[in-house]
């Protein structure tokens, strides 16, 4: 949901000017996720476990400090977004009522079901996001302007522009995904009994590249659709989910709100267990607790306890009267500000032969990883300077 909100706002406010970010962030996103996955495969440990084992305690605390607030805020924002779209469909039920209901369903599903089962069901709801891919082809899209803005970056020192760029970077290259990616590779390695070799690394790289390609494809078309439908119609800002849903009207008509709601709820049910799970893996690796979403609650009580607590805290953040759509945007910006710290640590790990052995970064991996660090740091500093 935070991705949908961030990309929708970027298109509504700036039209097609930020389409280039979908192209630029693709290799950056692939570089970081590939490094995280390689850390998990090679070491058999999650990212936090590797940091704890090989680096000083102050660095472990720094990582936790940089990761905990944005993840909890993101959980709260996603729950708020799901509650808001529920209220959009059934106005008689307040948004907070839907938020409590969705949180209860998520708690039940994550504790009783496996995440694989949740994903198997909920991923079909996310297919609605491909409506954004269709709309530009059935509306009066200025393809010439879109292609120019895709391959010719627009830069500005305007605060709103920088906020959008940092938000896009943060929601696309999100710190919680660093922890999740590494831990998922560890689980797969253990379940399948994989022996680390170039073939396994190559299969992982293909998986990361293809997954990120589809992710950025949807990202591109959300920005394009909102730019051509909302910005073109004079809607130069989104403050509610109802306004964001209007981007789907050319395809769905009066059912636009229904399609948008189903998309947000589907992505929420996929994303929130990942967010809570990322925190759970971090805490389990810090304290050597049993971990894994394939385990039962009694087999990993600390792991699941953290997951349950994170959802309850997230719900509490929402019930403190945070505006759902704005909260979704600000979590993306907060990720954009904290991600450089973690990327610098990931680069250090992937160049440490004591940890990675023969699977340290090559020149191109260091180039793209370093460029990611440079771009995200520069954008964050520019926003802070202009914002001040």
């Amino acid at each position: 949901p935070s991705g949908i909100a961030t990309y929708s706002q970027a298109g509504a406010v700036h039209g097609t000017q930020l389409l280039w970010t979908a192209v630029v962030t693709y290799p950056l996103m692939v570089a970081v996720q590939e490094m995280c996955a390689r850390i998990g495969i090679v070491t058999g440990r999650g990212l936090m476990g590797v940091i704890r084992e090989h680096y000083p305690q102050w660095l472990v605390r720094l990582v936790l400090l940089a990761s905990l607030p944005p993840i909890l805020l993101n959980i709260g924002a996603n729950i708020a977004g799901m509650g808001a779209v529920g209220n959009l469909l059934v106005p008689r039920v307040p948004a907070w009522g839907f938020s409590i209901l969705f949180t209860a369903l998520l708690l039940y599903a994550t504790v009783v079901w496996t995440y694989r089962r949740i994903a198997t069901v909920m991923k079909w709801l996310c297919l609605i996001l491909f409506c954004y891919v269709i709309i530009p082809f059935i509306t009066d899209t200025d393809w010439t302007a879109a292609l120019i803005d895709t391959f010719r970056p627009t830069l500005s020192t305007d605060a709103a522009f920088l906020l959008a760029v940092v938000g896009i970077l943060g929601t696309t290259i999100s710190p919680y995904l660093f922890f999740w990616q590494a831990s998922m590779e560890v689980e797969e390695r253990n379940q399948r009994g994989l022996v680390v070799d170039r073939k396994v690394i190559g299969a992982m790289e293909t998986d990361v590249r293809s997954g990120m390609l589809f992710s950025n494809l949807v990202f591109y078309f959300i920005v394009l659709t909102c730019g051509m439908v909302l910005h073109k119609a004079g809607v130069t800002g989104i403050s509610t989910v109802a306004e964001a849903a209007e981007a789907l009207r050319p395809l769905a008509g009066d059912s636009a709100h229904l399609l948008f709601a189903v998309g947000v709820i589907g992505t929420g049910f996929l994303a929130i267990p990942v967010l809570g799970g990322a925190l759970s893996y971090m805490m389990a690796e810090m304290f050597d607790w049993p971990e894994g979403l394939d385990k039962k609650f009694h087999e990993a009580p600390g792991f699941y306890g953290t997951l349950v607590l994170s959802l309850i805290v997230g719900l509490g953040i929402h019930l403190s009267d945070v505006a759902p759509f704005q909260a979704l945007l600000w979590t993306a910006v907060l990720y954009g500000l904290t991600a450089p710290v973690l990327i610098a640590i990931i680069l250090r790990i992937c160049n440490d032969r004591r940890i990675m052995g023969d699977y340290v970064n090559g020149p191109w991996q260091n180039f793209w990883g370093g460029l990611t660090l440079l771009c995200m740091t520069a954008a964050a500093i520019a926003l802070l300077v202009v914002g001040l």
Side-chain angles (χ1 to χ4, degrees), residues 116-362:
R116 189 177 299 276
R117 186 177 176 187
I118 297 171
T120 300
V121 175
M122 291 301 166
K123 68 183 179 183
W124 297 107
L125 298 183
C126 296
L127 287 177
I128 286 173
L129 295 178
F130 282 95
C131 291
Y132 286 102
V133 179
I134 299 171
I135 290 173
F137 294 98
I138 63 172
T139 55
D140 185 21
T141 298
D142 186 345
W143 287 104
T144 301
L147 288 172
I148 290 172
D149 287 332
T150 299
F151 297 105
R152 189 183 67 188
T154 300
L155 299 175
S156 172
T157 56
D158 176 70
F161 185 89
L162 290 171
L163 191 72
V165 170
V166 172
I168 285 172
L169 289 171
T171 201
T172 306
I173 309 171
S174 298
Y176 74 90
L177 287 175
F178 306 165
F179 297 97
W180 178 262
Q181 184 81 54
S183 295
M184 286 298 97
E185 297 296 344
V186 173
E187 285 206 2
E188 185 173 359
R189 168 180 157 163
N190 293 339
Q191 288 170 2
R192 295 173 56 189
L194 295 175
V195 176
V196 182
D197 57 22
R198 294 295 176 186
K199 184 178 179 180
V200 169
I201 297 294
M204 172 274 292
E205 290 173 346
T206 300
D207 184 48
V208 169
R209 288 169 188 158
S210 59
M212 299 304 100
L213 180 63
F214 280 106
S215 172
N216 274 41
L217 179 71
V218 174
F219 154 22
Y220 179 90
F221 277 97
I222 291 177
V223 175
L224 178 59
T225 296
C226 292
M228 288 298 173
V229 175
L230 299 181
H231 184 82
K232 207 171 182 181
V235 179
T236 56
I238 302 173
S239 58
T240 67
V241 292
E243 292 172 352
E246 287 298 307
L248 296 176
R249 184 168 290 279
L251 178 66
D254 291 338
S255 299
H257 291 177
L258 173 62
L259 278 184
F260 186 79
V262 172
V264 169
I265 291 169
T267 54
F269 268 97
L270 284 175
I272 292 173
V274 173
L275 286 158
L279 268 185
S280 296
Y281 281 114
M282 290 169 64
M283 299 303 290
E285 288 158 14
M286 278 188 67
F287 298 106
D288 284 329
W289 295 338
E291 63 180 56
L293 286 168
D294 57 338
K295 288 183 166 57
K296 301 295 185 183
F297 190 96
H298 69 274
E299 295 174 321
F303 177 86
Y304 278 104
T306 302
L307 181 59
V308 170
L309 184 61
S310 66
L311 264 67
I312 293 172
V313 171
L315 178 62
I317 291 172
H318 163 47
L319 296 180
S320 65
D321 204 26
V322 177
F325 203 85
Q326 294 306 311
L328 290 168
L329 294 173
W330 280 106
T331 55
V333 173
L334 191 54
Y335 279 141
L337 295 174
T338 57
V341 176
L342 295 171
I343 294 172
I345 295 170
I346 290 165
L347 275 167
R348 174 67 184 272
I349 292 171
C350 284
N351 282 282
D352 192 333
R353 200 167 286 275
R354 294 174 307 141
I355 301 172
M356 300 299 292
D358 293 334
Y359 297 97
V360 292
N361 276 0

